[in-house]
Amino acid sequence: MSKRTVLSVLVLVLAGAIAAVAAPPNSPLTLKEAIEMALQNSGSMAVARIRAQVAQQQTRVNRSVFRPNLFTGSGAAYTYGFPSTPGGQAPSVFNLSYVQTLFNPPAKGAVKAAQARTEEQRIAINATRDDVIVEVTSAYLELGEVRHSLELLRQERVSAQKVLEVTQERVKAGLELPIDETEADLTRAKIEQQVISLEGRQDVLEDSLRTMTGLPDTMTIVLADTKLPPETDLPTPELVTLALAHSPDLQQAEMERQARLDELKGQRGGYWPTVDLVGQYMVLSKINNYDQYFSRFQRNNVNVGVQVQIPIFRSRTTAAIALASSQYQEAELDLGNRRRDLETQVRREARQSREQDASREVARLELKLAQEKVQIAQSKFNQGKATLAAVEQARLDESEKWLNYLQVNFNGQKAQLELMRTTGQLADLLR
């Protein structure tokens, strides 16, 4: 190997070492950052925005009949007798037609209904946004709970191994029964099973967070905080009022009811005349001796006026009104049902949140008691009044209480998160 090659290799190694030292470690990912990244990276949000655009374009299509519409064209046809086109008009080399609807209640109702559904799709974006926030927040909080539980279980595994070793020695010395050794080994195996299960769950949650936030697969996720903002101690009636005012689901139902009402009003106006502004310019042709049918032939012709159609009997109008009326009644009932369901849901979630708070307090006191028992067992061991197995067993009990407290705390956070979504308080997570 030449000196130049050796020098190049040394430079590359030195550059890599410097880069490794200079490269900052993965910065902690806060809950706010995770939510913002998930909202930017969410495919569901993109679909919701596209649907809102589709609804907006549908409104433009429905409104187009009330805007100027200009047509032109030409054609040729064989005639026998009076020379006219298949549409009944005079044969022309060129024609230009103008149509604009001025008054048409059914069409106007369709435009208003489309506008209401456009607003409904915009509200759907907020509903999708809430779903993304809840999903990423749940994964974030659960990952923190799983990681903390894994730390405790690994410590618990060490204690279980010590208990097993001590038990095995006592069995050999004839101080314990073989069944005691089996029980200690079973405890160790159960802990190992929990560790493996939680490690798998940790991998799933990390992959899920990377997918939602768009983080690279090689990046290690470091959590900054695993707590929600403090709960607002609002009475249940105020929570119900908040939910009724901010629920996207309820707002969508209200917009759908408004759309059905606009359609019903429009169909009821089907008995009224329709008024269109029309105009036409034609360059007539002398084909088939068209000019000989009239005493005076004029090649350029312009017609401008208003076309009024007065319905005398239209069976479709009656059927359309009946259909729109049924659809409006359906939307009205659906809105009422959703409002009652929402009130029931808020009361249930508020009650569950209070129950979880009580469970969290019980779990906290159980953990505190287990920690005090560990201190007592350690003190007795130092005084020679307790065995190492008794100390390790007390630590096992403490770890179990820790795991229970973490699970109860996570359940309480999930209940709080659902209540925040129902009452429209998820925006607090982005402050």
Side-chain angles (χ1 to χ4, degrees):
M1 183 179 296
S2 63
K3 293 182 178 179
R4 180 176 296 179
T5 303
V6 173
L7 182 60
S8 301
V9 172
L10 290 176
V11 170
L12 291 175
V13 171
L14 182 60
I18 293 175
V21 173
N26 293 334
S27 57
L29 178 68
T30 65
L31 178 58
K32 179 182 177 181
E33 292 172 344
I35 293 175
E36 291 175 345
M37 294 170 67
L39 290 174
Q40 294 176 359
N41 191 60
S42 172
S44 300
M45 289 291 295
V47 171
R49 294 189 185 100
I50 290 296
R51 287 176 178 170
Q53 293 179 10
V54 170
Q56 185 176 6
Q57 298 305 322
Q58 182 63 50
T59 302
R60 293 183 61 188
V61 171
N62 293 347
R63 191 185 290 117
S64 63
V65 297
F66 295 95
R67 302 290 175 83
N69 296 275
L70 200 61
F71 306 92
T72 185
S74 182
Y78 169 78
T79 62
Y80 178 77
F82 185 81
S84 64
T85 63
Q89 296 181 346
S92 61
V93 178
F94 172 80
N95 66 76
L96 188 66
S97 301
Y98 176 90
V99 178
Q100 180 179 0
T101 298
L102 300 179
F103 183 74
N104 189 324
K108 190 67 175 179
V111 171
K112 290 185 177 181
Q115 290 174 338
R117 290 195 171 97
T118 299
E119 185 63 27
E120 182 180 344
Q121 290 301 321
R122 289 174 181 168
I123 295 172
I125 295 177
N126 296 332
T128 304
R129 178 176 176 272
D130 289 349
D131 292 340
V132 173
I133 292 177
V134 169
E135 184 178 4
V136 69
T137 303
S138 297
Y140 187 97
L141 295 176
E142 185 178 0
L143 180 59
E145 187 264 337
V146 167
R147 285 182 173 178
H148 201 166
S149 298
L150 272 174
E151 293 177 4
L152 294 172
L153 279 172
R154 286 167 181 152
Q155 297 174 5
E156 190 174 342
R157 181 171 56 185
V158 174
S159 297
Q161 184 63 35
K162 291 182 180 179
V163 171
L164 176 60
E165 293 173 356
V166 171
T167 304
Q168 288 174 340
E169 293 177 358
R170 292 178 62 83
V171 169
K172 291 178 181 179
L175 300 176
E176 299 282 356
L177 297 175
I179 191 174
D180 296 325
E181 179 182 350
T182 303
E183 289 180 351
D185 197 16
L186 177 60
T187 300
R188 181 201 57 78
K190 287 182 177 180
I191 295 173
E192 186 67 29
Q193 181 187 33
Q194 289 180 286
V195 170
I196 294 174
S197 177
L198 285 181
E199 286 176 345
R201 183 58 182 166
Q202 177 181 235
D203 293 339
V204 171
L205 290 171
E206 288 178 351
D207 292 341
S208 178
L209 269 179
R210 291 191 186 97
T211 301
M212 287 187 287
T213 58
L215 293 173
D217 296 338
T218 56
M219 180 177 178
T220 302
I221 298 178
V222 181
L223 303 182
D225 51 1
T226 56
K227 292 182 180 180
L228 293 177
E231 295 185 62
T232 55
D233 298 329
L234 295 177
T236 301
E238 292 187 21
L239 293 175
V240 172
T241 302
L242 280 175
L244 293 176
H246 296 91
S247 171
D249 185 63
L250 194 62
Q251 292 174 2
Q252 284 181 272
E254 290 176 347
M255 286 296 101
E256 182 60 26
R257 182 193 63 170
Q258 183 62 45
R260 299 287 178 86
L261 179 59
D262 291 332
E263 289 175 343
L264 176 59
K265 290 180 179 179
Q267 294 301 334
R268 285 174 175 170
Y271 294 114
W272 289 86
T274 60
V275 182
D276 297 324
L277 177 63
V278 296
Q280 189 176 54
Y281 169 72
M282 301 176 65
V283 179
L284 298 183
S285 170
K286 295 182 179 181
I287 189 171
N288 288 355
N289 301 317
Y290 182 76
D291 56 331
Q292 298 178 9
Y293 278 81
F294 303 94
S295 59
R296 182 173 178 272
F297 175 76
Q298 181 175 322
R299 182 174 294 276
N300 296 291
N301 292 265
V302 177
N303 296 317
V304 178
V306 176
Q307 180 178 341
V308 179
Q309 291 185 344
I310 302 175
I312 297 176
F313 176 76
R314 291 185 64 186
S315 58
R316 184 187 181 280
T317 300
T318 303
I321 292 175
L323 174 62
S325 178
S326 299
Q327 291 176 334
Y328 173 70
Q329 292 176 9
E330 177 189 8
E332 184 75 19
L333 291 174
D334 181 63
L335 176 61
N337 291 336
R338 292 195 185 194
R339 183 178 287 111
R340 287 190 294 272
D341 291 344
L342 181 61
E343 293 176 358
T344 303
Q345 179 182 352
V346 173
R347 293 189 179 94
R348 182 178 65 252
E349 290 179 353
R351 183 171 59 253
Q352 289 176 348
S353 181
R354 291 193 295 270
E355 291 174 356
Q356 290 296 331
D357 289 341
S359 299
R360 185 188 291 116
E361 180 63 16
V362 171
R364 185 190 68 82
L365 292 175
E366 289 179 344
L367 173 60
K368 182 180 179 181
L369 181 61
Q371 291 172 335
E372 292 175 352
K373 288 183 177 179
V374 169
Q375 295 176 357
I376 294 175
Q378 185 66 46
S379 177
K380 289 183 177 180
F381 176 76
N382 295 337
Q383 297 174 4
K385 298 180 180 180
T387 63
L388 177 62
V391 176
E392 296 301 331
Q393 186 61 50
R395 289 177 178 171
L396 284 175
D397 295 339
E398 179 193 12
S399 297
E400 288 296 329
K401 299 304 180 184
W402 254 117
L403 291 172
N404 180 63
Y405 175 77
L406 290 174
Q407 183 61 49
V408 171
N409 184 65
F410 175 64
N411 292 338
Q413 288 183 320
K414 287 199 300 183
Q416 180 185 353
L417 186 62
E418 289 297 329
L419 185 59
M420 291 176 67
R421 169 162 62 176
T422 305
T423 56
Q425 301 180 69
L426 288 178
D428 294 344
L429 299 176
L430 296 172
R431 293 177 182 173

